[in-house]
Amino acid sequence: MQLQPGREALVRVAVATLWTSPEAVRPIDGPALSAGADIPAWISGMDTDQQVGDCVLSQLLLGERVLVTELRPDGWARVVAVEQPAAKLDPRGYPGWLPADQVTPADPTVAGDPLVVDATVTELRAAPHGPVVVPGVVVGTRLVPAGPARDGWQPVHVPGQAAPLWLPDSQLAPPSSEPPSAEQALAVAQRLLNVAYVWGGLSAYGIDCSGLVHLAWRRFGVLLPRDADDQAVATSPLPLGAERPGDLYFFARPGRKIHHIGIVTATPGGEHRRMLHACYRRRRVIEEALPADRTATLVGAHRV
């Protein structure tokens, strides 16, 4: 099977990066463009200014569905990430570009309820305790089982792989039958404390503020929009002071759209508020009391 415009495909690498255009990529981006998409090498090779380049839109996880809308002769595909809502950009999902060899046509014979990776980072192996085939698989990745678990290992179907791959059964969770509590989503986000801030990042190697929120709820099958302003529209406003851990804080400057989001980590006492967020200024995920400049731009608290 070959990729075709107008048809869906699946991400075949652990983490694929969605770019604004093929021409926007930089020499430093080489590891993220390879067929294996070495995201740890890509992020570690950048300085903190390069990590916030606006050439990156988002990232996609192994097995994530995309709609292919254009294929270029130079090996690039324009796609719509249908599992990352972005209503203001495209009603179908988040649009952008990625190397065509990082996606593969879906196998129509693979069906079933996917299991969800609950390990912060794991790897897929050719056999139980066997050699690593796909490293760097991150929390929130969904994979269809390829049979029953055996001796504590689970076989899964992996896009682009002819044979099932294996990972410890303890690193997987069944699909959620009901929405998570706010505390459950917060607990996932807390596991990403100190992860590097990467503009457009959506993994345990590098992440941005709205990516942290999207990924925490995605672990439980809740597909929030990808960008902070859209996340505000998709969630329910609360009176300030009524927020609880796991709710969301939104920030905007006067007359501007929402530009930042954080996850509430403590019941507010008076004017004292705390949040977990991917902080552009500190270039990492931190938990902190809201400093004065954050409090000055706090425009609301919301609940998922």
Side-chain angles (χ1 to χ4, degrees), residues 80-149:
V80 174
V82 300
E83 297 179 50
Q84 297 188 28
K88 67 181 182 295
L89 300 175
D90 190 314
R92 300 171 296 180
Y94 217 112
W97 292 85
L98 46 68
D101 60 4
Q102 293 183 358
V103 294
T104 187
D107 184 344
T109 67
V110 174
D113 292 330
L115 300 170
V116 185
V117 173
D118 190 43
T120 307
V121 177
T122 188
E123 51 206 12
L124 300 176
R125 298 175 179 267
H129 305 291
V132 173
V133 178
V134 182
V137 176
V138 302
V139 63
T141 299
R142 297 191 295 277
L143 299 166
V144 176

